[in-house]
Amino acid sequence: MLKFPPSGERKPTKLSYTNSCISEHIASSIFNLLGITAQETLLGTYQVGAKTKIVCACKDFTADGKRFFDFCSIKNTILDSESDGSGTELPDILEALEKQQYVDPVMLTEHFWDVFVVDALLGNFDRHNGNWGFLYDDTADQACVAPVFDCGSCLLPQADENVMKEVLTDEKALNARVYQFPTSAIKQNGRKINYYDFLSGVEYEDCKAAIQRMVPRIDMEQIRIFLREVPYISELQKDFYSRYIEARYNKILKPALELIYTVDYRMDSSGTQISNE
């Protein structure tokens, strides 16, 4: 499958279209680097009339005959509430994770929070119930979690060259895109979750466990090396993606991990962790 950039937009920059294809490839690759199975992607070019556009080729993970069921359709059959399958209220999602019978609920809950933490790292504003789910093998009568896909809403895909330069040179502009937006598509009390606020005071033990699992896996040098090798993008873009990801790591995820250990635990003289509560 080829993912094309949106057409018909007019911007007075060399990046005349949004960078969702680039975000798709980079974000999917980083998920794989961090040990969360994601779709396999490649960047390439495609000739459209007189224009050459950067596109993202996404490997079909149903090519072996497995069927894909999105979480939206599953959630819709489980919960007897006013919220339909597309509703992204966190309590409803967690209830559906627990009640579904496709895969082990504990494993699925861990996967959900692991993806949430990486989405926080990458600034994903559109991980809704329709772009993740399960693969079902009719022959084996077994289901598994589908690879992560549809990551085009990560990494500020509408940032043009001017925005990239501003983020690289203005700390206030960078901080706004870390602390204020983008927000998650998941809601709490009717409002989209702010990643920084939520992870700074997270009350869900499963989310805390995901932070403890995932944050130590993040190797910024490995990510920088990967970004330097991404084809078809400029040095400005490479610098921007590296700076943006590193800022979200240092300003959101590392403090969240440190806060968990600081608030929830202390060490006794033998080095054993003891709850402060």
Side-chain angles (χ1 to χ4, degrees):
M1 180 185 74
L2 290 183
K3 187 166 187 176
F4 285 79
S7 59
E9 295 186 4
R10 299 177 63 184
K11 293 184 178 181
T13 67
K14 293 181 179 179
L15 300 178
S16 59
Y17 48 82
T18 59
N19 296 299
S20 58
C21 294
I22 296 167
S23 294
E24 187 76 53
H25 173 65
I26 292 176
S28 297
S29 299
I30 289 175
F31 268 102
N32 281 317
L33 285 175
L34 297 180
I36 298 178
T37 302
Q39 64 182 351
E40 297 178 39
T41 59
L42 290 171
L43 287 180
T45 57
Y46 193 92
Q47 197 73 23
V48 181
K51 295 183 178 180
T52 300
K53 294 191 174 183
I54 298 173
V55 298
C56 181
C58 307
K59 186 175 180 179
D60 182 2
F61 48 71
T62 65
D64 58 359
K66 293 185 178 70
R67 291 186 292 153
F68 174 71
F69 293 88
D70 63 39
F71 181 69
C72 181
S73 61
I74 302 303
K75 177 174 174 286
N76 201 39
T77 65
I78 294 173
L79 297 187
D80 183 18
S81 68
E82 296 180 357
S83 173
D84 61 14
S86 62
T88 57
E89 278 288 337
L90 181 58
D92 287 345
I93 291 175
L94 296 179
E95 182 182 355
L97 294 176
E98 182 180 355
K99 289 183 175 179
Q100 61 75 38
Q101 299 180 353
Y102 275 67
V103 297
D104 175 50
V106 174
M107 180 274 292
L108 185 62
T109 299
E110 288 184 357
H111 173 76
F112 169 80
W113 285 117
D114 287 351
V115 171
F116 182 88
V117 171
V118 180
D119 278 341
L121 174 71
L122 301 174
N124 191 351
F125 59 81
D126 197 33
R127 182 74 63 199
H128 55 75
N129 296 337
N131 60 13
W132 74 279
F134 310 92
L135 293 177
Y136 184 73
D137 187 332
D138 290 282
T139 303
D141 190 25
Q142 291 181 341
C144 63
V145 178
V148 172
F149 69 99
D150 199 6
C151 299
S153 297
C154 297
L155 303 170
L156 301 179
Q158 293 183 325
D160 60 19
E161 289 184 344
N162 292 330
V163 170
M164 291 182 180
K165 290 176 182 177
E166 182 184 29
V167 168
L168 286 169
T169 58
D170 185 341
E171 192 73 13
K172 289 184 179 179
L174 174 63
N175 285 340
R177 290 165 175 84
V178 172
Y179 296 122
Q180 298 175 28
F181 63 89
T183 55
S184 171
I186 299 169
K187 296 180 180 180
Q188 194 172 32
N189 300 320
R191 299 184 64 181
K192 290 185 176 181
I193 287 174
N194 175 291
Y195 284 116
Y196 173 76
D197 292 340
F198 184 84
L199 293 177
S200 294
V202 64
E203 300 175 359
Y204 293 89
E205 293 301 319
D206 289 326
C207 183
K208 290 181 181 179
I211 293 170
Q212 291 171 286
R213 278 193 302 272
M214 297 308 303
V215 176
R217 296 186 195 178
I218 299 170
D219 183 338
M220 281 308 306
E221 182 58 26
Q222 182 187 39
I223 291 174
R224 282 189 288 268
I225 291 171
F226 160 71
L227 289 171
R228 286 199 290 268
E229 299 301 320
V230 174
Y232 305 111
I233 63 175
S234 67
E235 291 302 314
L236 171 64
Q237 289 171 286
K238 293 177 182 180
D239 290 343
F240 166 76
Y241 292 127
S242 179
R243 179 76 177 100
Y244 181 65
I245 294 170
E246 186 171 15
R248 296 187 69 85
Y249 170 66
N250 286 327
K251 297 173 184 285
I252 297 178
L253 295 185
K254 280 184 65 179
L257 179 61
E258 292 166 359
L259 190 62
I260 289 172
Y261 288 124
T262 301
V263 173
D264 289 349
Y265 298 99
R266 61 182 173 84
M267 293 286 186
D268 68 11
S269 58
S270 67
T272 303
Q273 287 183 339
I274 301 176
S275 173
N276 280 332
E277 299 179 349

